[in-house]
PDB file of all heavy atoms in Angstrom:
ATOM      1  N   SER A 657      11.383  64.181  30.500  1.00 95.00           N
ATOM      2  CA  SER A 657      12.419  64.545  29.542  1.00 95.00           C
ATOM      3  C   SER A 657      12.331  63.736  28.256  1.00 95.00           C
ATOM      4  O   SER A 657      12.567  64.266  27.175  1.00 95.00           O
ATOM      5  CB  SER A 657      13.794  64.368  30.176  1.00 95.00           C
ATOM      6  OG  SER A 657      13.896  63.101  30.796  1.00 95.00           O
ATOM      7  N   VAL A 658      11.952  62.454  28.349  1.00 95.00           N
ATOM      8  CA  VAL A 658      11.951  61.626  27.137  1.00 95.00           C
ATOM      9  C   VAL A 658      10.899  62.057  26.118  1.00 95.00           C
ATOM     10  O   VAL A 658      10.932  61.629  24.972  1.00 95.00           O
ATOM     11  CB  VAL A 658      11.749  60.126  27.462  1.00 95.00           C
ATOM     12  CG1 VAL A 658      13.043  59.511  27.935  1.00 95.00           C
ATOM     13  CG2 VAL A 658      10.635  59.921  28.452  1.00 95.00           C
ATOM     14  N   PHE A 659       9.968  62.892  26.527  1.00 95.00           N
ATOM     15  CA  PHE A 659       8.930  63.315  25.574  1.00 95.00           C
ATOM     16  C   PHE A 659       9.177  64.708  25.007  1.00 95.00           C
ATOM     17  O   PHE A 659       8.391  65.211  24.209  1.00 95.00           O
ATOM     18  CB  PHE A 659       7.548  63.269  26.225  1.00 95.00           C
ATOM     19  CG  PHE A 659       7.241  61.944  26.840  1.00 95.00           C
ATOM     20  CD1 PHE A 659       6.650  61.851  28.078  1.00 95.00           C
ATOM     21  CD2 PHE A 659       7.572  60.777  26.167  1.00 95.00           C
ATOM     22  CE1 PHE A 659       6.390  60.605  28.648  1.00 95.00           C
ATOM     23  CE2 PHE A 659       7.314  59.534  26.729  1.00 95.00           C
ATOM     24  CZ  PHE A 659       6.716  59.461  27.967  1.00 95.00           C
ATOM     25  N   ILE A 660      10.264  65.350  25.419  1.00 96.00           N
ATOM     26  CA  ILE A 660      10.569  66.689  24.910  1.00 96.00           C
ATOM     27  C   ILE A 660      10.670  66.693  23.376  1.00 96.00           C
ATOM     28  O   ILE A 660      10.020  67.499  22.708  1.00 96.00           O
ATOM     29  CB  ILE A 660      11.853  67.259  25.577  1.00 96.00           C
ATOM     30  CG1 ILE A 660      11.575  67.623  27.041  1.00 96.00           C
ATOM     31  CG2 ILE A 660      12.403  68.441  24.811  1.00 96.00           C
ATOM     32  CD1 ILE A 660      10.934  68.965  27.279  1.00 96.00           C
ATOM     33  N   PRO A 661      11.453  65.746  22.785  1.00 96.00           N
ATOM     34  CA  PRO A 661      11.548  65.768  21.324  1.00 96.00           C
ATOM     35  C   PRO A 661      10.191  65.585  20.651  1.00 96.00           C
ATOM     36  O   PRO A 661       9.874  66.267  19.667  1.00 96.00           O
ATOM     37  CB  PRO A 661      12.474  64.583  21.009  1.00 96.00           C
ATOM     38  CG  PRO A 661      13.245  64.353  22.258  1.00 96.00           C
ATOM     39  CD  PRO A 661      12.320  64.706  23.372  1.00 96.00           C
ATOM     40  N   GLU A 662       9.393  64.653  21.190  1.00 95.00           N
ATOM     41  CA  GLU A 662       8.072  64.373  20.620  1.00 95.00           C
ATOM     42  C   GLU A 662       7.192  65.629  20.626  1.00 95.00           C
ATOM     43  O   GLU A 662       6.580  65.989  19.613  1.00 95.00           O
ATOM     44  CB  GLU A 662       7.430  63.257  21.450  1.00 95.00           C
ATOM     45  CG  GLU A 662       6.131  62.718  20.907  1.00 95.00           C
ATOM     46  CD  GLU A 662       5.567  61.622  21.800  1.00 95.00           C
ATOM     47  OE1 GLU A 662       5.809  61.655  23.032  1.00 95.00           O
ATOM     48  OE2 GLU A 662       4.875  60.736  21.282  1.00 95.00           O
ATOM     49  N   PHE A 663       7.151  66.306  21.774  1.00 96.00           N
ATOM     50  CA  PHE A 663       6.304  67.497  21.902  1.00 96.00           C
ATOM     51  C   PHE A 663       6.856  68.670  21.106  1.00 96.00           C
ATOM     52  O   PHE A 663       6.100  69.449  20.516  1.00 96.00           O
ATOM     53  CB  PHE A 663       6.157  67.888  23.383  1.00 96.00           C
ATOM     54  CG  PHE A 663       5.068  67.131  24.108  1.00 96.00           C
ATOM     55  CD1 PHE A 663       5.046  65.755  24.115  1.00 96.00           C
ATOM     56  CD2 PHE A 663       4.039  67.809  24.778  1.00 96.00           C
ATOM     57  CE1 PHE A 663       4.044  65.047  24.779  1.00 96.00           C
ATOM     58  CE2 PHE A 663       3.026  67.109  25.433  1.00 96.00           C
ATOM     59  CZ  PHE A 663       3.036  65.730  25.432  1.00 96.00           C
ATOM     60  N   ALA A 664       8.197  68.799  21.084  1.00 96.00           N
ATOM     61  CA  ALA A 664       8.808  69.916  20.370  1.00 96.00           C
ATOM     62  C   ALA A 664       8.600  69.756  18.865  1.00 96.00           C
ATOM     63  O   ALA A 664       8.226  70.699  18.164  1.00 96.00           O
ATOM     64  CB  ALA A 664      10.302  69.988  20.699  1.00 96.00           C
ATOM     65  N   LYS A 665       8.815  68.530  18.375  1.00 95.00           N
ATOM     66  CA  LYS A 665       8.653  68.260  16.949  1.00 95.00           C
ATOM     67  C   LYS A 665       7.199  68.500  16.496  1.00 95.00           C
ATOM     68  O   LYS A 665       6.950  69.004  15.404  1.00 95.00           O
ATOM     69  CB  LYS A 665       9.082  66.819  16.669  1.00 95.00           C
ATOM     70  CG  LYS A 665       8.727  66.297  15.298  1.00 95.00           C
ATOM     71  CD  LYS A 665       9.820  66.596  14.291  1.00 95.00           C
ATOM     72  CE  LYS A 665       9.403  66.072  12.914  1.00 95.00           C
ATOM     73  NZ  LYS A 665      10.309  66.448  11.860  1.00 95.00           N
ATOM     74  N   ALA A 666       6.249  68.147  17.382  1.00 95.00           N
ATOM     75  CA  ALA A 666       4.834  68.328  17.044  1.00 95.00           C
ATOM     76  C   ALA A 666       4.412  69.793  17.157  1.00 95.00           C
ATOM     77  O   ALA A 666       3.297  70.150  16.796  1.00 95.00           O
ATOM     78  CB  ALA A 666       3.971  67.460  17.955  1.00 95.00           C
ATOM     79  N   GLY A 667       5.307  70.626  17.703  1.00 95.00           N
ATOM     80  CA  GLY A 667       4.987  72.046  17.843  1.00 95.00           C
ATOM     81  C   GLY A 667       4.066  72.335  19.018  1.00 95.00           C
ATOM     82  O   GLY A 667       3.344  73.329  19.029  1.00 95.00           O
ATOM     83  N   TRP A 668       4.099  71.463  20.029  1.00 96.00           N
ATOM     84  CA  TRP A 668       3.208  71.638  21.175  1.00 96.00           C
ATOM     85  C   TRP A 668       3.844  72.428  22.308  1.00 96.00           C
ATOM     86  O   TRP A 668       3.159  72.841  23.236  1.00 96.00           O
ATOM     87  CB  TRP A 668       2.757  70.276  21.716  1.00 96.00           C
ATOM     88  CG  TRP A 668       1.908  69.506  20.748  1.00 96.00           C
ATOM     89  CD1 TRP A 668       1.255  70.014  19.653  1.00 96.00           C
ATOM     90  CD2 TRP A 668       1.617  68.111  20.764  1.00 96.00           C
ATOM     91  NE1 TRP A 668       0.573  69.006  19.011  1.00 96.00           N
ATOM     92  CE2 TRP A 668       0.773  67.831  19.672  1.00 96.00           C
ATOM     93  CE3 TRP A 668       1.978  67.058  21.628  1.00 96.00           C
ATOM     94  CZ2 TRP A 668       0.303  66.550  19.401  1.00 96.00           C
ATOM     95  CZ3 TRP A 668       1.506  65.792  21.359  1.00 96.00           C
ATOM     96  CH2 TRP A 668       0.674  65.541  20.256  1.00 96.00           C
ATOM     97  N   ILE A 669       5.177  72.586  22.263  1.00 97.00           N
ATOM     98  CA  ILE A 669       5.830  73.394  23.294  1.00 97.00           C
ATOM     99  C   ILE A 669       6.687  74.481  22.649  1.00 97.00           C
ATOM    100  O   ILE A 669       7.149  74.336  21.518  1.00 97.00           O
ATOM    101  CB  ILE A 669       6.680  72.535  24.270  1.00 97.00           C
ATOM    102  CG1 ILE A 669       7.572  71.551  23.511  1.00 97.00           C
ATOM    103  CG2 ILE A 669       5.784  71.786  25.248  1.00 97.00           C
ATOM    104  CD1 ILE A 669       8.437  70.685  24.422  1.00 97.00           C
ATOM    105  N   THR A 670       6.841  75.577  23.394  1.00 97.00           N
ATOM    106  CA  THR A 670       7.569  76.752  22.920  1.00 97.00           C
ATOM    107  C   THR A 670       8.959  76.756  23.559  1.00 97.00           C
ATOM    108  O   THR A 670       9.069  76.475  24.746  1.00 97.00           O
ATOM    109  CB  THR A 670       6.822  78.027  23.352  1.00 97.00           C
ATOM    110  OG1 THR A 670       5.480  77.934  22.871  1.00 97.00           O
ATOM    111  CG2 THR A 670       7.476  79.278  22.812  1.00 97.00           C
ATOM    112  N   PRO A 671      10.012  77.078  22.786  1.00 97.00           N
ATOM    113  CA  PRO A 671      11.351  77.144  23.404  1.00 97.00           C
ATOM    114  C   PRO A 671      11.370  78.110  24.586  1.00 97.00           C
ATOM    115  O   PRO A 671      10.770  79.183  24.528  1.00 97.00           O
ATOM    116  CB  PRO A 671      12.238  77.655  22.270  1.00 97.00           C
ATOM    117  CG  PRO A 671      11.525  77.282  21.023  1.00 97.00           C
ATOM    118  CD  PRO A 671      10.060  77.359  21.350  1.00 97.00           C
TER     119      PRO A 671
END
Side-chain angles (χ1 to χ4, degrees):
Chain A
S657 49
V658 281
F659 307 137
I660 288 277
E662 187 180 30
F663 276 55
K665 169 89 181 173
W668 295 342
I669 47 180
T670 305

